[in-house]
Amino acid sequence: MSELNPEGMNQVMGELYALNDELLLEEAQQVCSDFKSWLTNKFTVTDQQMEYLDGVPEKVLFMWGAQLAALLVARTQIEIFGPPQTFRTKQTDMESQSKIRHIPGQPPQVEMSASIEFIQP
C-alpha cells in the first residue's frame, strides 16, 4: 500500500485513472460516502495520521470526500503537499477549481484542478 504523501498520492491516482469510467465512478462514490475509510484502504496511514483524521469533524470529512470524488471522476491532477503528521496540525486546505458544462447529447466538458496542503504549526 502507498504512504499518504505526495509520492503515494501520485501512485494511487495512476492506478485509479487506469480504471474505466464505470469503475472510477464506483471508486468516487466510495470516497464520497466514507472518505476516512477510503483513505485507510488506499494508503498506509500512521497512528499519528489516524489520530489527526479522527479529530476532523464528520462534516469536514464529507466535504473533502465529495470534493475529491468530483476530482477523481474528472481525472484531474491532484497535488498533495505534506501528509498530516499529528492531531495538532494547524490547518488543512483542500482547494479546487472547476467548470463542468453539460450539453445534452454531448459528453461533459470538465476543467478541474486541485491541491491539498497540510500546514504544520
Side-chain angles (χ1 to χ4, degrees):
M1 230 185 314
S2 300
E3 292 183 27
L4 182 55
N5 60 29
E7 296 79 21
M9 178 65 83
N10 287 336
Q11 181 179 345
V12 169
M13 292 302 104
E15 293 167 4
L16 293 176
Y17 292 168
L19 298 173
N20 65 36
D21 288 345
E22 183 180 336
L23 292 175
L24 186 59
L25 181 58
E26 288 177 16
E27 193 77 29
Q29 289 168 335
Q30 292 173 17
V31 171
C32 192
S33 75
D34 191 347
F35 179 63
K36 188 165 57 172
S37 290
W38 180 84
L39 276 177
T40 59
N41 286 326
K42 291 290 178 190
F43 296 94
T44 300
V45 179
T46 67
D47 290 341
Q48 292 172 327
Q49 289 171 331
M50 189 53 132
E51 188 174 355
Y52 170 80
L53 290 169
D54 286 342
V56 177
E58 286 296 320
K59 182 177 181 178
V60 174
L61 289 172
F62 176 79
M63 289 187 287
W64 286 347
Q67 194 171 23
L68 183 59
L71 295 165
L72 289 175
V73 171
R75 296 178 186 272
T76 192
Q77 179 66 34
I78 300 170
E79 295 180 274
I80 182 172
F81 301 97
Q85 295 183 7
T86 71
F87 70 96
R88 292 179 293 278
T89 298
K90 183 177 179 183
Q91 166 181 332
T92 300
D93 292 341
M94 180 185 271
E95 296 182 31
S96 69
Q97 295 181 351
S98 64
K99 177 181 178 181
I100 303 169
R101 176 176 288 156
H102 171 71
I103 300 172
Q106 296 183 15
Q109 298 173 6
V110 180
E111 298 173 20
M112 298 182 108
S113 63
S115 67
I116 302 169
E117 184 173 9
F118 299 98
I119 302 167
Q120 305 298 316

